[in-house]
Amino acid sequence: MRDRTVLHIEDNEYNRKIVRQLLSRTPYRLLEAADGEEGVAVAQRELPDLILMDVQLPKLSGLDATRLLRADPRTAHIPLVVVTSFALSGDDRRAMDAGASAYLAKPYSPRDLLTLIHKFLPEN
Amino acid sequence: MRRASATERMPPPVVALLASPLGALVRAVARIRASVHVKLLAGFLLFTRLFIAMTAVSLRTLTETARQTNLLDEAHERVGWSRQIEHALAMQMHFTAMALLSKDDDIVARILRENNRFNDTLARLEKAAPTEERALIQAIRGSQDDAMATVADIANAVRDGRLADAMTALRTRQEPLYAKIETLVGSLVAAEETRMASLRVSIAAASHYSLRVMAGFAVASIVLALLGGFVISWSFILPVREAHGFLSEVAEGRFGGTIVVPNRDEFGALAEHMNWMSRELRRLDDEQRVAAETLRSLNDRLALASRAKSEFLANMSHELRTPLNAILGFTEIMLDELYGEVPPTLREPLVDIQTNGRHLLRLINDVLDLSKIEAGRLELGVGEYSVQEIVEVVHASLKSLALEKGLAFTAGVSPDIPPAWGDGRRITQCLLNLAGNALKFTRQGRVDIEVRLDGEWLVYRVSDTGIGIPKDEVENIFAEFRQVDTTVTREYGGTGLGLSITKRLVELHGGRIGVESELGKGSRFFFTVPLRTDGGRA
Ligand SMILES: Nc1ncnc2c1ncn2[C@@H]1O[C@H](COP(=O)(O)OP(=O)(O)OP(=O)(O)O)[C@@H](O)[C@H]1O
Ligand SMILES: [Mg+2]
């Protein structure tokens, strides 16, 4: 069985770096995208096992990207976690409405993120 | 915006009268430069003079009538006397005839007596008679004297027995004399009667005249009184009505009008003052309007500035948080040894970075919350939440702090609380703030969280045995950046935003917050929120 793939769509370089480091000791394969359009393209090409999507993204917002992926039958079933901003109330509900499987409020602790990833992709 | 004229709502006859030349008179009286007192006095004096004149005229008429009545009485008396004279004359004739028949001396004495009475009466008549009758009376006396001489002759003839002579004398001298006297007395009576008749006529005329004069005076005074009353009273009423209209205008907030009255009396002075007041009011009103306008625009600009400030703060906080998130993230994965083993000497500074980073993050979050609340842009993310879960989270996240300080820390939720509806994350924030404060401001003893249901309301309560709050500060601690004692809070840390944010969040839920505290003994903070709220959205 091939390594399970996690797609991280996030514009902030340092946040990507943290997740990269977080997953370096795990068996997951990490794909990255820096904006919404790229994220959708990578997701449709690679068909990852889990998508982490930031809400605020350049070019295409996280919520619009989520809707696009949910509308595409190839990606519709992929678990998708939207990283919302605590500051912007209502983001979480909007994320769930757009089709997210779960949401994680920023600022999140890397530990919590890892727990969430494990929940969707249990290590054998 | 012409004010209602003073003639409005006046009885139509008055309006008509005021439009007539009488109106001009009213205005003329108003224009007289004299005080109201003098005008009224003059009016009353005019009527008084009229009454005095009327009294004088009637008195004169009365005296005149009395005099004429007197004259009438006198004439009447004189007529009586004339009748007596006639009577005495008849008696003389009678006695003279008797003397002839009876040849009695005694009769002569009677004739003389009658003659005396005749003369007496004649004398009285003469004294009372008007001059024009004197001649007539003189003639009567002359004839009487002649008659008496004849009587003497007749008496002598009778005594001497010359009856034929006596008879002749009686017939030829005495009878014609008496006839003459009778005629004279008759014309005297006639003259008196004519006089009486004319007196009666003139008395009747006088009383008629006085009646007419009185009636004339009465009518004149009534007309004059009505006229004078109308003119004087309306010369006062008109300015009062004008003033009334003017003052209602002022009362309605329309300033700057003027009142025009012809009066040069107290009412004129009053109108002057009212105009002055009106101008002054207008000036003040204008000033106030300008001030209000300035204030309004200032206020608008301030609101705009305040909004801009809030937006700036919101953006800034967001921008600040992104790198801070990264710092906290890196620190955490370093401490979790994802970069390899952390040497013991580095662990403490890494934890310090984490502690300060978290503190900074909370500050930024608080400022962001506050600015959003102020900009009216904080919306509650309402949904179903579990009170038990909230209390558990708060208790769990503060447990270690309580343990560190050696404080007893309990949390109790009454079991009958159903799932609640509201912004669970914000409620958590509120309870965290209260419990965090309680732990912060308590050195020894305990901190207890307790939640119970009171009808439709959830009551969250946090009690501590800490330093307490002075009475005069209890009102203030819910305001932004308010801390009781900066030396104390420097020791404890914090910026003074926790309670003000909590208060506003609770109020956004439609609830309220409060505290009971005793200095040195401890505090009991509580807040209430509806069990189910949609946060103001229908
Ligand atoms: N439980 C308490 N006991 C005594 N004093 C209190 C208590 N809670 C609040 N106060 C007083 O009220 C002030 C305001 O509280 P608030 O929570 O708003 O600010 P802070 O705790 O000082 O700072 P921040 O919460 O922003 O970190 C505190 O500084 C303190 O003086
Ligand atoms: Mg506080």
Side-chain angles (χ1 to χ4, degrees):
Chain A
M1 176 176 151
R2 71 174 177 98
D3 280 346
R4 278 159 304 178
T5 313
V6 174
L7 170 58
H8 188 204
I9 311 173
E10 160 74 65
D11 58 329
N12 187 294
E13 155 69 15
Y14 296 101
N15 286 342
R16 287 204 303 273
K17 221 167 149 183
I18 289 171
V19 173
R20 207 179 298 147
Q21 191 62 37
L22 200 62
L23 297 186
S24 63
R25 305 262 178 105
T26 64
Y28 306 122
R29 188 163 74 99
L30 181 66
L31 297 172
E32 292 180 359
D35 63 65
E37 278 176 9
E38 190 194 342
V40 171
V42 173
Q44 283 167 341
R45 192 177 63 233
E46 302 285 336
L47 301 176
D49 300 287
L50 177 68
I51 299 171
L52 302 177
M53 173 95 73
D54 194 54
V55 172
Q56 278 186 313
L57 288 173
K59 293 189 183 168
L60 188 66
S61 87
L63 293 181
D64 289 339
T66 303
R67 279 187 210 102
L68 273 180
L69 293 176
R70 282 297 178 248
D72 185 335
R74 290 171 298 164
T75 55
H77 64 280
I78 301 175
L80 193 152
V81 176
V82 173
V83 180
T84 61
S85 167
F86 175 72
L88 301 173
S89 272
D91 259 9
D92 38 12
R93 218 203 358 223
R94 278 193 285 274
M96 297 310 277
D97 289 348
S101 318
Y103 64 83
L104 185 67
K106 248 189 200 171
Y108 56 83
S109 119
R111 234 171 273 155
D112 293 345
L113 180 61
L114 201 57
T115 316
L116 200 67
I117 293 172
H118 280 312
K119 209 179 109 192
F120 283 104
L121 305 175
E123 275 183 84
N124 336 2
Chain B
M1 247 190 346
R2 178 68 200 123
R3 152 175 14 119
S5 144
T7 51
E8 250 170 50
R9 280 183 296 114
M10 275 207 268
V14 173
V15 178
L17 278 176
L18 284 175
S20 74
L22 217 52
L25 199 60
V26 168
R27 281 184 288 282
V29 167
R31 258 195 296 274
I32 294 173
R33 199 185 291 277
S35 71
V36 170
H37 167 76
V38 167
K39 286 181 189 177
L40 280 176
L41 199 66
F44 283 120
L45 276 181
L46 185 72
F47 304 137
T48 316
R49 282 236 290 282
L50 207 70
F51 274 108
I52 290 172
M54 189 169 99
T55 315
V57 168
S58 25
L59 263 179
R60 226 198 58 206
T61 320
L62 266 177
T63 345
E64 180 60 24
T65 313
R67 197 181 63 83
Q68 285 180 339
T69 313
N70 221 21
L71 283 179
L72 193 68
D73 278 354
E74 280 172 20
H76 207 79
E77 203 174 25
R78 287 200 296 275
V79 171
W81 290 337
S82 303
R83 299 245 180 267
Q84 273 180 29
I85 287 171
E86 274 182 328
H87 180 74
L89 202 63
M91 290 305 276
Q92 281 178 30
M93 293 267 288
H94 170 73
F95 286 137
T96 313
M98 288 276 284
L100 273 177
L101 286 176
S102 63
K103 303 177 196 72
D104 187 356
D105 274 352
D106 228 24
I107 302 290
V108 178
R110 286 198 198 162
I111 293 173
L112 282 175
R113 209 168 56 230
E114 284 306 322
N115 176 50
N116 281 346
R117 190 184 312 167
F118 183 101
N119 279 335
D120 271 5
T121 312
L122 196 66
R124 259 189 279 164
L125 190 61
E126 186 175 18
K127 224 166 92 197
T131 22
E132 66 267 23
E133 282 172 18
R134 295 267 163 77
L136 210 59
I137 291 170
Q138 228 98 85
I140 293 173
R141 175 164 297 129
S143 303
Q144 173 68 4
D145 287 352
D146 289 351
M148 281 322 290
T150 316
V151 165
D153 287 351
I154 293 171
N156 286 337
V158 168
R159 195 185 53 221
D160 298 345
R162 289 179 281 122
L163 275 179
D165 284 352
M167 206 59 129
T168 317
L170 184 69
R171 219 173 264 136
T172 57
R173 285 170 53 200
Q174 185 76 326
E175 278 178 3
L177 268 174
Y178 280 143
K180 185 180 168 196
I181 290 173
E182 221 175 274
T183 318
L184 282 172
V185 170
S187 55
L188 193 63
V189 167
E192 286 297 344
E193 268 170 357
T194 319
R195 183 192 305 280
M196 270 159 64
S198 90
L199 273 174
R200 273 197 202 94
V201 167
S202 83
I203 286 174
S207 85
H208 194 228
Y209 168 76
S210 85
L211 208 70
R212 277 215 313 267
V213 166
M214 301 273 251
F217 265 109
V219 169
S221 0
I222 288 171
V223 168
L224 214 68
L226 284 178
L227 219 75
F230 181 87
V231 167
I232 288 190
S233 61
W234 279 98
S235 79
F236 300 156
I237 294 171
L238 280 180
V240 170
R241 278 181 174 255
E242 275 290 339
H244 178 82
F246 169 81
L247 284 178
S248 342
E249 202 174 84
V250 169
E252 280 163 20
R254 283 183 280 143
F255 306 129
T258 45
I259 169 173
V260 183
V261 301
N263 294 52
R264 289 187 196 163
D265 46 26
E266 282 91 334
F267 292 108
L270 204 64
E272 262 315 286
H273 274 94
M274 283 190 195
N275 284 334
W276 183 64
M277 174 190 84
S278 168
R279 278 196 301 278
E280 202 58 13
L281 275 175
R282 174 58 168 274
R283 194 177 61 74
L284 287 174
D285 189 48
D286 285 351
E287 268 175 21
Q288 189 264 344
R289 240 180 255 280
V290 170
E293 195 43 55
T294 318
L295 263 180
R296 214 190 330 272
S297 76
L298 206 68
N299 206 29
D300 288 351
R301 289 217 308 273
L302 272 177
L304 223 69
S306 164
R307 244 192 115 74
K309 182 206 75 176
S310 300
E311 264 164 32
F312 168 77
L313 276 176
N315 290 337
M316 251 338 257
S317 324
H318 187 77
E319 295 305 318
L320 286 172
R321 273 180 346 161
T322 310
L324 191 56
N325 275 337
I327 292 172
L328 284 172
F330 282 118
T331 316
E332 188 175 313
I333 57 177
M334 276 165 85
L335 281 169
D336 282 355
E337 304 197 321
L338 285 171
Y339 286 106
E341 202 182 320
V342 178
T345 44
L346 275 187
R347 185 158 283 276
E348 198 186 320
L350 275 176
V351 169
D352 286 347
I353 291 174
Q354 193 174 43
T355 310
N356 281 287
R358 280 185 184 151
H359 187 188
L360 184 56
L361 185 65
R362 231 204 76 211
L363 273 182
I364 292 170
N365 281 339
D366 282 355
V367 169
L368 181 65
D369 279 351
L370 205 66
S371 59
K372 276 202 306 195
I373 291 170
E374 280 195 345
R377 288 212 326 228
L378 190 125
E379 278 181 24
L380 294 180
V382 291
E384 202 175 76
Y385 67 92
S386 151
V387 175
Q388 284 84 357
E389 225 173 273
I390 281 179
V391 173
E392 239 164 65
V393 166
V394 170
H395 187 254
S397 60
L398 293 175
K399 204 161 50 186
S400 52
L401 179 62
L403 203 69
E404 231 171 72
K405 295 187 76 171
L407 301 171
F409 184 35
T410 69
V413 183
S414 60
D416 60 337
I417 297 181
W421 190 265
D423 190 337
R425 215 150 58 187
R426 294 301 189 181
I427 299 290
T428 310
Q429 191 183 349
C430 291
L431 196 59
L432 254 171
N433 278 337
L434 292 194
N437 280 350
L439 289 168
K440 188 155 72 168
F441 298 109
T442 305
R443 282 198 193 87
Q444 56 191 27
R446 54 186 307 111
V447 170
D448 300 294
I449 301 174
E450 176 212 349
V451 189
R452 56 187 182 79
L453 193 62
D454 182 7
E456 288 297 297
W457 293 85
L458 283 170
V459 184
Y460 291 79
R461 204 181 282 279
V462 178
S463 339
D464 66 55
T465 55
I467 59 172
I469 301 159
K471 280 222 157 19
D472 54 335
E473 283 290 337
V474 166
E475 295 273 306
N476 299 329
I477 55 170
F478 295 103
E480 298 94 78
F481 302 109
R482 281 306 272 264
Q483 294 175 307
V484 170
D485 182 346
T486 39
T487 54
V488 178
T489 39
R490 203 168 302 137
E491 173 192 341
Y492 294 110
T495 36
L497 285 176
L499 283 182
S500 60
I501 290 171
T502 304
K503 179 170 192 277
R504 290 170 190 236
L505 289 176
V506 166
E507 283 169 356
L508 272 177
H509 274 87
R512 61 185 198 90
I513 190 168
V515 63
E516 300 150 12
S517 185
E518 204 176 323
L519 202 59
K521 289 250 174 84
S523 317
R524 277 158 70 83
F525 278 84
F526 72 89
F527 67 86
T528 62
V529 288
L531 181 60
R532 308 187 72 81
T533 182
D534 54 10
R537 276 169 297 188

